[in-house]
């Protein structure tokens, strides 16, 4: 495993997620024991996922009520990679990974096990998401590393600076969509709010690294989905090929459009 995510020695990737969305598997709970046994060798850390429902009372005050969902997470011994199985599909996410081929291969192998245990799974969408932490060196800004057009910060004369600014752009793509979120702030970056409660161990970029609270940093969050108009039976080999295609799209976007020459030099990608 590399010290930081990605194939580059100093790649800024902090978190990666691949998802296969399916038609609702309402009977998934009946297969849970077989799946747990099948995954125990590779994913020995196994936990049930608990969700929370938002309940609004007659007074209009929302409250949270824990709800046990038929969903489970299977993690590797170091708790840096985990497979989530739920009635709406399957997710593989990681805070440490060797490269995209190893990551997608691991998901392919897991889906092969699922197909052997659970019959009649139909796919309606897949998605691949990368979250990068842009942590410039002292005296630099995120715009030294990424295209300045991503910068959402507009100086306001009466303000003393900005705590956080965000831009979001959604691009229609063949059979799906690409969403690019860019968050610019100060200090140690954090995962986006929808990912803030993951049970995985932190990646090195999430840890206690030497980042001053006044240092300008940024988060680049790239999400590419591919929709299936006609629901297709889950075929792990075909899904892996689809993931490879959208991974290549994201890689091209990141390397050729979003980052600067300085970033490629600093991250060892020259």
């Amino acid at each position: 495993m590399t010290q930081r995510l990605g194939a580059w020695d100093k790649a800024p990737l902090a978190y990666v997620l691949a998802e296969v969305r399916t038609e609702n598997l309402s009977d998934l709970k009946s297969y849970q024991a077989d799946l747990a046994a099948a995954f125990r060798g590779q994913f020995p850390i196994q936990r049930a996922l608990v969700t929370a429902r938002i309940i609004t009372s007659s007074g209009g005050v929302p409250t949270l009520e824990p709800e046990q969902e038929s969903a489970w997470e299977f993690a590797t011994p170091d708790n840096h990679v985990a497979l989530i199985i739920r009635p709406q599909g399957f997710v593989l996410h990681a805070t440490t990974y060797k490269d995209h081929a190893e990551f997608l291969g691991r998901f392919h192998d897991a889906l092969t096990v699922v197909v052997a245990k659970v019959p009649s799974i139909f796919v309606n969408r897949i998605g691949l998401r990368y979250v990068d932490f842009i942590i410039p060196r002292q005296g630099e800004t995120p715009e030294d590393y990424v295209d300045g057009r991503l910068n959402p910060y507009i100086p306001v004369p009466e303000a003393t600076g900005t705590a956080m600014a965000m831009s979001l752009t959604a691009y229609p793509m063949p059979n799906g969509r690409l969403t690019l979120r860019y968050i610019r702030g100060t200090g140690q970056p954090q995962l986006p709010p929808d990912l803030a409660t993951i049970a995985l161990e932190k990646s090195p970029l999430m840890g206690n690294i030497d980042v001053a609270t006044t240092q300008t940093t940024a988060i680049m969050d790239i999400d590419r989905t591919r929709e299936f108009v006609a629901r297709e039976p889950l075929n792990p080999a075909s899904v892996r090929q689809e993931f490879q295609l959208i991974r290549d799209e994201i890689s091209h976007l990141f390397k050729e459009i979003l980052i600067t020459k300085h970033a490629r030099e600093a991250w060892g990608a020259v």
Side-chain angles (χ1 to χ4, degrees), residues 9-39:
D9 292 339
K10 299 179 181 179
L13 189 58
Y15 177 81
V16 61
L17 177 153
E19 179 180 25
V20 173
R21 289 292 299 270
T22 67
E23 295 302 301
N24 190 51
L25 302 170
S26 59
D27 61 346
L28 182 64
K29 191 171 184 178
S30 63
Y31 298 98
Q32 189 273 340
D34 285 346
L35 290 170
F39 285 126

Side-chain angles (χ1 to χ4, degrees), residues 26 30 35 88 106 116 135 149 164 188 195 209 236 258-259:
S26 59
S30 63
L35 290 170
Q88 298 79 26
R106 189 190 290 267
I135 304 176
R149 291 173 294 181
M164 189 273 287
Q188 172 65 44
L195 300 173
I209 58 178
L258 295 180
I259 68 171

